Structure formats: structure tokens, C-alpha cells
Amino acid sequence: MLDSLLDGLGILGTSPEMLALFVGFGLVVGVLFGFFGMGGSFLVTPALLMLDYEPSVAVGSGMAFVFGTAVIATLKHHDLGQVDYKLGAIMITGTTIGIEAGRASVYYLESLGLAGGIISVAYVVLLGGVGAMVTRDALNSDGGGGIDHEAADQDLSEYEIPEIAKTIQRTVRIPPMVTLRGDVRVSVWVITAVAFATGLLSGFLGVGGGFIRMPAMIYAIGVPVPVAVGTDLFEIVFSGGLGSYLYGQGGGVNLGIVAPLLFGSALGARIGSAATAVVDADGIKIYFGGMLLIGAIAVGIGEIGSYVGSPTLELLGLVLVIGAAVVVSFAILYTTISSLRQKRQQGTTVTD
Amino acid sequence: MAGLEIPTWDPETALLIGTILLEAIVLYVGYGGLERLFGPYLMKVLVGGDVDAR
């Protein structure tokens, strides 16, 4: 009975070597996700494509993995009181409409024969833009700006609202107004507009959109960083769950891939999130910015590879993305253990 | 990504997504318990002493 259930769900179709590989890769992705609060969705699908899975299985299983990861992370943020369900509900509505509009644009561009090229260019610009912003922010860091994990330990009402969000809150006062966690009062229309715009990009690029939505919530709506992270994850539970269901109906979700990935990433996310309390986030942010920039270059190389019909270039693009992820997660682990050892030595010296 | 496409009821897919949801909850609770049980020991092995990470 159990055998037939597992077989039906695809578990028994995966070899032990592949299961081990998926657990390991899940661990790497989990460390990054736990540390930065984003970066999961754009790593898994390319890796599955590289392993010769059908595109629908790669995208569907990638999405189901993001769904599972978001469930785990939302449970954690819920325990810490960092999920604003009111904001989440408004965001889900706006995002869903935006995603549909984005998808319709893809079909329209596809009918013109322009979809592939424009999507890749948009990806390169966006990934490169966010990567450059994060790197610049980390290099010029004075303790403010950017996505700071130490803020998670701060009281929400003490959190400083970015200047641009304050301006939006002052100028756009179209009712109905809502009060969010951290005493942020903002028009429902601002939230809907942000949700629509980020949903549009998300639907257009076919990604979860955490790396677009989270900065948008911080800089345009003005919610504290921990609430932006928690609410974004809550939203991904819904969009990811529905997306996985739709892909699952077409046979696109393989439990033999998703279950081991999740097994590794749940552990990795715990390590990554614990590391944020030990490591100076600004130092690692440079790596993350670098990883996004390498991602942008890799997508560009992959696109050139498929344009000129060179599988080597396509492979190089994918190896670059995965290699950068592995290097950054090892850098996080190494820095964390070194910092802990240093702390211990300092503690011993003080005691002496 | 999900849009406004209306999903139809499919028990097999519901079981599949339900399994992932259940696995996620079990992993959250399970790893949380393991961390409490073995966390201090692991820190001792890795760092060489008990360190308060927070």
C-alpha cells in the first residue's frame, strides 16, 4: 500500500544518488534562504533543467519546493509575530491580478515571437540592478539601508521607515487607510499598486518574486524589514501552493525531487537563519550582491548559448549560478564558525 | 506562477500538495526538537565550547 503510494508520488523513481544530491543541494539553497530570506526559486529550476528534467517538471517541482520552504519559514515568522495577515491578504489580491497580467503579456509577446529575448533581457536588467544595489548598499553601509537581519531583533515600532516610504505615506492618502504592524498607516491603494506591479514582474519573469516584492514592501509601503520578510513568505505559501497544484495537475510536480530538497533545505534554513545572529550581515551582503550579478551574467551567457546553439555556453551559465550559490553558502558557514570561535576565545581571555 | 486560472478538483494532486505541506510541518517541528536536543552538543564539537550565539 505504502509502496504504491510512494511510487505514485514519484519517490521510488529517484535513485539513492539523486536523493543524496537533492538533499545536499537543498542544504545549500536552505542556507542562502535562511540567511538572506530570499534566493531560493531562481536556483532550483535551472539546476533541474541542467539535470535533464522536462521544463514543466523543473518549473513545477521548483515551485512546489518554494511552497514547502515558504510554509516552514512562515511558521517560524508567525512564532516571532512577524507576519501581517491584513497586509498579506491585500497583497495576495493585487499580486494575483498582476501575475495574470504578466502572463497575458508573455503570451502576447510570444505571439509576436519576442517573448524569449525580452524576458531574458528583463531578467538580466532586474537581477543585475538588484545585485548592484545590494552590493553598493553593503559597500557604503553605515548601519542603515538595505535588508538588515539584525533588525529582526529590534522592536517593530523602533524601526526606521525609509524616506521614500514616508513621502508616499504623506502624499497618497486615498481612503481606505489601513494600519499595519509597526504602526505604519498607509492607503490600501498603495499596497494594491505595489502588489500589482510586483505581481506583473513576477508573472512576466515566471519567478516567485520575493527578491522584487520584499524591497518593494520596505521602500514603497514602509513596513519594518522583519514584517516584510514574514508577510512575503505568507504570500508565497498561497501563490506557491496554487501554482504547485496547477503544475501538479499536469504531472509537473515530482515528489522524488521535492521531498529530499525540502529535507535538506529545512535544515539549511535553520543554520542560515542562526548564522544571521553571529555574522556581520554587511560582509556577506557583498557576496550575495555578487551572486546576483553572477546570476545575471550566467542568464546572459545561457541565452547567448541557446541563441548560437552552443550547449557548452548554456552549461557554463548554469554551472556559474550553482557554483556561486555553493561558494556563498560555504562562505556563510565558514564565517559563522570563525566568528563563534573568535567569540569563545575573547570570552576565555576575559575570564582569565 | 499561479494566476487567475481556476483549478479543478483533483484528489491525486491534492494528496501530492498535502504531502508536501505535511512534510514541511513535520520538518519544522522535527528539526526544532533536534536543535533543542543536540544544538548545545553540536556547538561544543564545532566551536570547542558552549557559546551563546545570541
Side-chain angles (χ1 to χ4, degrees):
Chain A
M1 169 68 191
L2 185 68
D3 276 9
S4 66
L5 176 71
L6 291 175
D7 197 27
L9 294 172
I11 285 272
L12 297 183
T14 312
S15 67
E17 296 84 9
M18 289 305 281
L19 284 175
L21 180 77
F22 288 140
V23 172
F25 187 56
L27 196 71
V28 166
V29 174
V31 169
L32 295 174
F33 188 79
F35 194 83
F36 298 112
M38 54 182 168
S41 58
F42 69 89
L43 290 169
V44 174
T45 306
L48 293 177
L49 285 171
M50 191 171 81
L51 291 167
D52 267 348
Y53 281 98
E54 290 288 318
S56 62
V57 175
V59 177
S61 302
M63 188 167 286
F65 166 70
V66 170
F67 162 66
T69 312
V71 170
I72 296 170
T74 305
L75 285 170
K76 189 190 153 206
H77 284 269
H78 169 85
D79 287 349
L80 297 169
Q82 294 168 350
V83 182
D84 191 318
Y85 292 99
K86 202 192 300 171
L87 174 65
I90 305 168
M91 288 288 291
I92 287 167
T93 316
T95 309
T96 310
I97 301 168
I99 285 170
E100 191 58 25
R103 200 156 59 173
S105 331
V106 171
Y107 285 130
Y108 175 68
L109 288 172
E110 216 165 47
S111 71
L112 299 177
L114 299 168
I118 292 183
I119 291 171
S120 295
V121 169
Y123 221 118
V124 169
V125 169
L126 201 73
L127 219 54
V130 175
M133 205 174 79
V134 173
T135 313
R136 196 198 60 189
D137 220 39
L139 288 173
N140 301 333
S141 183
D142 54 355
I147 296 159
D148 188 353
H149 277 272
E150 280 167 27
D153 298 329
Q154 259 179 292
D155 192 328
L156 293 182
S157 55
E158 286 170 17
Y159 189 78
E160 201 181 319
I161 300 171
E163 213 42 59
I164 181 166
K166 276 186 193 164
T167 313
I168 294 171
Q169 285 168 14
R170 270 197 306 267
T171 45
V172 187
R173 304 194 62 83
I174 311 164
M177 301 287 286
V178 284
T179 308
L180 307 172
R181 291 189 76 91
D183 279 338
V184 176
R185 196 157 166 74
V186 65
S187 167
V188 166
W189 298 105
V190 170
I191 301 173
T192 311
V194 169
F196 178 79
T198 53
L200 187 76
L201 277 174
S202 178
F204 189 69
L205 297 173
V207 292
F211 74 98
I212 315 165
R213 206 161 40 236
M214 215 165 56
M217 274 199 262
I218 296 162
Y219 291 106
I221 301 174
V223 291
V225 175
V227 178
V229 176
T231 309
D232 179 49
L233 289 164
F234 169 66
E235 209 187 323
I236 295 172
V237 169
F238 281 87
S239 57
L242 187 59
S244 308
Y245 186 85
L246 289 170
Y247 272 103
Q249 278 186 315
V253 176
N254 184 339
L255 200 63
I257 299 170
V258 181
L261 273 177
L262 212 52
F263 188 79
S265 82
L267 179 63
R270 273 187 181 271
I271 298 168
S273 132
T276 59
V278 183
V279 177
D280 168 32
D282 288 327
I284 299 285
K285 247 192 259 171
I286 297 170
Y287 291 118
F288 186 63
M291 192 178 78
L292 289 180
L293 288 174
I294 291 172
I297 295 165
V299 172
I301 290 176
E303 189 58 26
I304 294 167
S306 66
Y307 184 73
V308 299
S310 160
T312 319
L313 278 182
E314 285 181 80
L315 186 69
L316 177 70
L318 291 162
V319 169
L320 266 179
V321 174
I322 294 161
V326 172
V327 168
V328 174
S329 60
F330 271 100
I332 293 171
L333 294 180
Y334 177 77
T335 319
T336 304
I337 294 173
S338 305
S339 304
L340 282 172
R341 288 202 165 144
Q342 216 172 0
K343 259 189 184 180
R344 185 181 169 264
Q345 271 169 0
Q346 279 169 359
T348 316
T349 317
V350 169
T351 316
D352 291 343
Chain B
M1 202 64 217
L4 290 179
E5 194 175 321
I6 308 295
T8 50
W9 174 246
D10 177 6
E12 208 177 310
T13 312
L15 175 70
L16 181 68
I17 305 301
T19 308
I20 295 169
L21 180 66
L22 183 71
E23 188 196 354
I25 296 169
V26 168
L27 286 174
Y28 177 71
V29 177
Y31 279 139
L34 285 176
E35 190 180 302
R36 266 193 299 276
L37 273 176
F38 299 108
Y41 171 74
L42 201 68
M43 288 298 281
K44 216 171 179 176
V45 172
L46 283 174
V47 186
D50 218 358
V51 174
D52 182 10
R54 307 250 158 209

